[in-house]
Amino acid sequence: MRYPEGGGLTAERRAFREGIRLLAGERFAAGQKTAVIAKELRVSVRSVERWRRAWREGGMDGLRSTGPANSPTITDEQFAVLEAELGKGPSAHGFEDERWTLARVQTLLRRSLRVSLSVATVWRLLKRHGWSWQAPARRALERDEHAVEVEEGGVAAGKSLAAASGAWIVFEDEAGFSMTPPVARTWGRRGHTPVIRVRGRSRRRISVAALCCYKPGEKSRLIYRPRTHLLLKGARKSFSWQDYRDLLVRAHIQLGGPIVVAWDNLNTHLAAGLKRYEAEHEWLTTVRLPAYAPDLNPVEALWSLVRRVMANTAFGTPDDLDRIVRRELRRIQLQPRLIDGCLTATHLTITPPMPP
């Protein structure tokens, strides 16, 4: 008897199973029925039937173990070749989407290395070499990776300027929250999908502009300004450049020093009035983040923390939405480690100025 790819059995375990099969062979010779043998040896009827066929074809020798199967193995050099092919992406190998499944990796092994492995062995092979099942991060097609690398140097230069002049480096972003909460997984009875009741006609929203503020040797700070959307015809639903100006003035007062602001290329951020105000005040310097690169802004991670608490929440009134958003932002304000974690998620660092 042979088990596919060794069956994961040790030599002792194979010897134990061989002994059971040989006992079954003695009962075959004695003419006992299959059901009786299965009951006495405490095995399944199907196993006894399979052993009986092997006994008829090869006698007692047909029931003996022949050792582990000689399953194909992958060397480190072969896996390096496989990893290079995996790095090209599924679409480069004729698949329609960008998903590497175990079955597709199995197919790639047959194509590139002429090696046939089971799905379970492919899983163990990938795990052994540091691969795991992950959710991919989305990136815009318009994103220029080279520009991102160059702009990261610009952001680093802005942080060096902030450190050298004793200023704060400040990241800004805005987000909107509606009466329809984000959906998160929850436990429920199988076959009965949990339901969250929301107000389908409510168009009330709240927008928040937030600043994550960092400076070597100081506790990280969060400064924000909420804006409730008014259901009036012609009422502005987004922040104006005057709102951003007032927020920066507020940050300058609270932080007690000059600031270097890093934000995206939103048209409001590029308004002539805001540029003119920056030119007139020495305490304010701006640095532009690259386009389509939200992963460089720690405020994006801040919104994830807020939405995580709001998940599956049934808001009864707009006041409930406003209360929960403000409560969560206040909680983050009191925990600088969370604000530091948002910066860590961007893989950017702020270093103290070098001594002269």
Side-chain angles (χ1 to χ4, degrees):
M1 301 295 290
R2 186 181 294 276
Y3 298 96
E5 299 184 19
L9 299 178
T10 62
E12 294 77 9
R13 192 62 182 174
R14 285 196 299 272
F16 172 77
R17 290 196 175 189
E18 180 187 55
I20 294 179
R21 294 194 299 271
L22 294 178
L23 290 176
E26 296 175 358
R27 287 164 172 73
F28 296 155
Q32 292 187 7
K33 295 183 178 180
T34 299
V36 175
I37 298 175
K39 184 176 181 180
E40 290 181 354
L41 299 182
R42 302 178 67 179
V43 295
S44 66
V45 174
R46 180 173 296 183
S47 296
V48 177
E49 291 176 347
R50 186 172 66 253
W51 297 344
R52 189 184 290 274
R53 288 194 298 270
W55 176 75
R56 288 172 179 171
E57 295 174 0
M60 296 297 287
D61 291 337
L63 300 176
R64 298 186 183 279
S65 175
T66 57
N70 295 323
S71 60
T73 58
I74 299 295
T75 63
D76 292 340
E77 291 76 11
Q78 288 177 312
F79 187 83
V81 175
L82 173 64
E83 197 167 29
E85 295 298 321
L86 292 173
K88 297 178 181 178
S91 58
H93 295 278
F95 300 108
E96 294 181 353
D97 53 54
E98 294 295 325
R99 291 185 306 149
W100 276 125
T101 63
L102 293 176
R104 290 181 177 182
V105 177
Q106 184 185 43
T107 302
L108 184 61
L109 276 167
R110 288 197 295 265
R111 291 177 181 176
S112 59
L113 299 179
R114 301 293 188 270
V115 175
S116 179
L117 299 179
S118 69
V119 171
T121 304
V122 172
W123 179 85
R124 288 193 293 269
L125 176 68
L126 294 177
K127 292 285 286 185
R128 185 166 62 249
H129 287 83
W131 286 63
S132 62
W133 181 254
Q134 302 179 36
R138 288 183 292 189
R139 290 288 184 269
L141 291 174
E142 299 84 353
R143 177 183 170 113
D144 187 347
E145 296 296 341
H146 175 69
V148 169
E149 295 178 2
V150 174
E151 291 293 342
E152 279 193 38
V155 173
K159 291 186 295 183
S160 299
L161 172 63
S165 60
W168 289 76
I169 180 71
V170 176
F171 294 87
E172 190 278 336
D173 193 46
E174 56 284 328
F177 302 90
S178 68
M179 296 283 289
T180 304
V183 179
R185 294 179 181 271
T186 181
W187 286 101
R189 182 178 298 177
R190 184 174 300 174
H192 298 271
T193 303
V195 176
I196 301 173
R197 301 293 179 182
V198 299
R199 293 191 177 275
R201 293 185 178 182
S202 177
R203 294 180 297 169
R204 296 297 296 271
R205 292 172 57 86
I206 179 174
S207 295
V208 181
L211 305 175
C212 285
C213 312
Y214 305 94
K215 182 180 179 181
E218 300 285 347
K219 289 185 178 180
S220 302
R221 303 279 293 276
L222 168 62
I223 301 173
Y224 66 91
R225 169 167 290 185
R227 179 188 180 92
T228 303
H229 294 188
L230 300 177
L231 298 180
L232 299 176
K233 187 175 182 180
R236 187 182 180 93
K237 297 182 179 180
S238 60
F239 288 90
S240 64
W241 73 266
Q242 292 91 343
D243 295 325
Y244 290 117
R245 177 201 61 194
D246 296 342
L247 180 60
L248 295 178
V249 171
R250 178 180 173 186
H252 173 54
I253 295 173
Q254 291 190 11
L255 298 176
I259 60 176
V260 176
V261 183
W263 53 17
D264 55 27
N265 294 288
L266 184 68
N267 55 356
T268 311
H269 296 161
L270 304 176
L274 197 55
K275 290 184 178 179
R276 185 168 55 254
Y277 184 83
E278 176 190 353
E280 295 173 353
H281 295 79
E282 296 181 355
W283 57 265
L284 177 60
T285 306
T286 60
V287 177
R288 304 295 175 187
L289 291 173
Y292 301 100
D295 50 304
L296 297 181
N297 194 338
V299 188
E300 294 287 348
L302 175 76
W303 302 137
S304 299
L305 295 176
V306 177
R307 290 192 170 94
R308 186 182 306 170
V309 175
M310 296 173 56
N312 296 2
T313 302
F315 300 108
T317 63
D319 292 337
D320 294 336
L321 172 63
D322 183 79
R323 175 178 54 82
I324 291 179
V325 171
R326 290 174 181 268
R327 183 191 67 189
E328 183 59 18
L329 289 172
R330 179 57 179 166
R331 184 184 71 85
I332 297 174
Q333 276 186 324
L334 298 176
Q335 301 186 61
R337 62 180 181 83
L338 296 179
I339 308 174
D340 291 335
C342 295
L343 180 64
T344 303
T346 66
H347 302 289
L348 300 174
T349 58
I350 299 178
T351 57
M354 297 297 293

